[in-house]
Structure formats: C-alpha cells, structure tokens
Amino acid sequence: MKEQVRLQKYLAHCGISSRRKAEEIIKQGRVTVSGVVVTSMGEKITPGKDTVMCDGRLVSPPDELIYVLVNKPKGYVTTLSDPQGRPVVTSLVRDIDQRLFPVGRLDLDTEGALLLTNDGELAQKIQHPRFQTNKTYEALVQGHPGQAKLRDLEKGVEIEGKMTAPAVISVIKHLQRQTLVKITIHEGRKRQVKKMFDFVGNPVISLKRIAYGKLYLGKLGTGEHKILNSRDLKKIFL
Ligand code: URA
C-alpha cells in the first residue's frame, strides 16, 4: 500500500474494522489524519506519510510477510541474540527492516539453507510433522559406510529410544578415507543427521543443508541471502 488510498479502505486493511464499519467510525469523528479530524467519506491518505489515528491510537498496517533464504556460514548461531557474543544468523539479513526469526535450527558448525521469516504460521507448518517437509543435506562422513548401513539408515534406526522416520540416502563421492553423501529427512530432531551417522559408526565431519523440499540453495554464496517469492515458497512443500 504505497499509493493514496481511501481512508475507510486503509482502516480496514489495518484491521480496525470492515470497510463499511470504518465509514461509520469516520462519520463518528473518531479518526484523525495527521492531527485533523476527518468525517467526510472522500478522504484519501498516503500510507507511510500521513499519520492516521483512531480513538487516539495509531493505525498501522500489518507487517508485510517476508521469507528469506540464508546460506548460513559455519560459526553462526541460529538464535536472535547470543549471550556469548557469537555471530547470529539474523545479523546476515540486517538490510531487511523486519523482525525475522529462523525456522528451525542448524548447529553452530552446520552451514547451508536456513529460512528466516516473520510469518509464524508458515514457520509452524514447515516444522509440523504432519507436513513432512523434506530437508536435504550433504554430509561428509568418516570412512565408507556400505550399502547395508545406508539402507539401515534409510529404513530407520533407534536414536534416544525412538526410531527415525524413513530417509533417502545416496553416495555422491567416495574419497580416500571419507564419503560425501546426500541425505533427505523430514524430521527435525536435534543433531539428527550427526546422530544417525554416529549410530552406524561413520561420524559426520561436516554438514551442509542444501534444500528445503525442492527449494535449493543453488548459487547462493555463503553468508548471502535472497528474498523468496510465492513460487519459491511452493517448492518447500514439494
Ligand atoms: N542434523 C544435524 O545433525 N545438524 C544440523 O544442524 C541439522 C541436521
């Protein structure tokens, strides 16, 4: 809402009332525009420029919902602030003038795709087990876990008394003493990928999340971010 809008429409957009009710409120002399009481219907205002008050209280539009994909570097904490003074992920989006919070978490030493948003509903949906949002990681693990171990991990292993949900795992590359694997899981248990590979005796050396659903990091560099559009958001649930 950047251009001029009718006052009653603006009041409705800001959640004061329905548009028709807003007309009544205006007629009752309860609304001021930049300090002047307005009772006529034709009045237009410029959001962000005119100060609109209703019953003495500032009327403001709801925060724009915003979704950002960050490529978290290692060493950044997935919190809003850190008592130990370590760098926090929200400092990577300082140019965005909204209070954003991370959706889920990545360990301090894990890098890669992390969503930040101010949309609590979408954040809950992504994390809710019912929606089974896939998260894909590239993990460099110690040694060479054979097919049998990988199939066990895919089927589910017991971690802290509870079986892990089915996963999809493939080998990207065998190195001399390590293996680079791709793993897709839809649970979000704490340190889950690391615990899964610990279970089969091939601890994770480094971990990078490369996608939520079919929303991939792509060319986004370490520490960079991009604002997501509705097409990007749909990919999260594919
Ligand atoms: N699994 C882990 O072990 N660590 C993460 O940061 C994410 C998933």
Side-chain angles (χ1 to χ4, degrees):
M1 263 206 176
K2 289 258 153 51
E3 288 138 26
Q4 282 209 319
V5 286
R6 284 184 187 278
L7 185 54
Q8 61 268 41
K9 185 173 174 187
Y10 184 69
L11 292 174
H13 173 71
C14 296
I16 299 297
S17 65
S18 67
R19 219 182 281 188
R20 186 171 316 157
K21 189 89 197 296
E23 291 177 2
E24 281 170 36
I25 293 173
I26 294 167
K27 279 186 203 149
Q28 289 162 359
R30 292 162 58 190
V31 179
T32 60
V33 175
S34 299
V36 179
V37 176
V38 170
T39 51
S40 63
M41 268 322 106
E43 194 77 15
K44 284 188 172 172
I45 63 116
T46 308
K49 189 159 162 259
D50 294 312
T51 305
V52 179
M53 297 182 91
C54 178
D55 297 331
R57 295 177 63 168
L58 183 68
V59 174
S60 57
D63 274 349
E64 190 191 347
L65 293 178
I66 183 154
Y67 312 90
V68 182
L69 184 66
V70 174
N71 185 348
K72 174 193 165 313
K74 289 181 183 173
Y76 276 68
V77 195
T78 312
T79 48
L80 300 179
S81 68
D82 183 53
Q84 294 176 48
R86 295 169 297 184
V88 293
V89 288
T90 41
S91 68
L92 297 165
V93 292
R94 278 221 182 94
D95 59 323
I96 298 171
D97 188 22
Q98 297 278 351
R99 268 182 69 85
L100 303 180
F101 52 85
V103 180
R105 63 189 295 284
L106 286 178
D107 297 336
L108 186 68
D109 61 354
T110 300
E111 59 182 320
L114 183 67
L115 276 166
L116 300 178
T117 185
N118 55 358
D119 183 349
E121 246 174 76
L122 190 95
Q124 273 199 0
K125 187 173 167 187
I126 290 172
Q127 294 179 92
H128 196 288
R130 182 153 63 94
F131 293 97
Q132 304 201 340
T133 314
N134 282 326
K135 273 114 11 191
T136 300
Y137 300 83
E138 278 181 8
L140 182 66
V141 304
Q142 242 169 52
H144 300 122
Q147 284 304 311
K149 282 185 180 181
L150 296 182
R151 296 297 83 87
D152 284 348
L153 286 175
E154 285 191 319
K155 278 190 251 152
V157 291
E158 191 177 315
I159 289 175
E160 284 145 13
K162 195 172 166 247
M163 294 301 282
T164 55
V168 179
I169 307 177
S170 58
V171 171
I172 300 173
K173 198 161 37 168
H174 283 295
L175 305 170
Q176 212 175 6
R177 293 204 175 88
Q178 300 156 349
T179 309
L180 186 63
V181 297
K182 189 161 113 174
I183 171 166
T184 301
I185 58 174
H186 60 72
E187 289 176 301
R189 289 157 69 179
K190 211 169 169 198
R191 305 183 72 248
Q192 178 160 347
V193 175
K194 290 175 186 162
K195 285 178 185 160
M196 286 172 74
F197 282 96
D198 280 346
F199 184 89
V200 291
N202 299 94
V204 169
I205 298 161
S206 70
L207 187 63
K208 178 175 188 173
R209 178 153 64 199
I210 58 166
Y212 285 84
K214 294 266 182 281
L215 178 70
Y216 282 84
L217 270 181
K219 293 198 173 82
L220 200 65
T222 306
E224 288 180 356
H225 66 272
K226 70 170 183 179
I227 295 182
L228 303 176
N229 59 30
S230 55
R231 272 180 56 195
D232 295 323
L233 290 179
K234 282 194 189 123
K235 291 183 193 161
I236 295 174
F237 300 102
L238 295 177

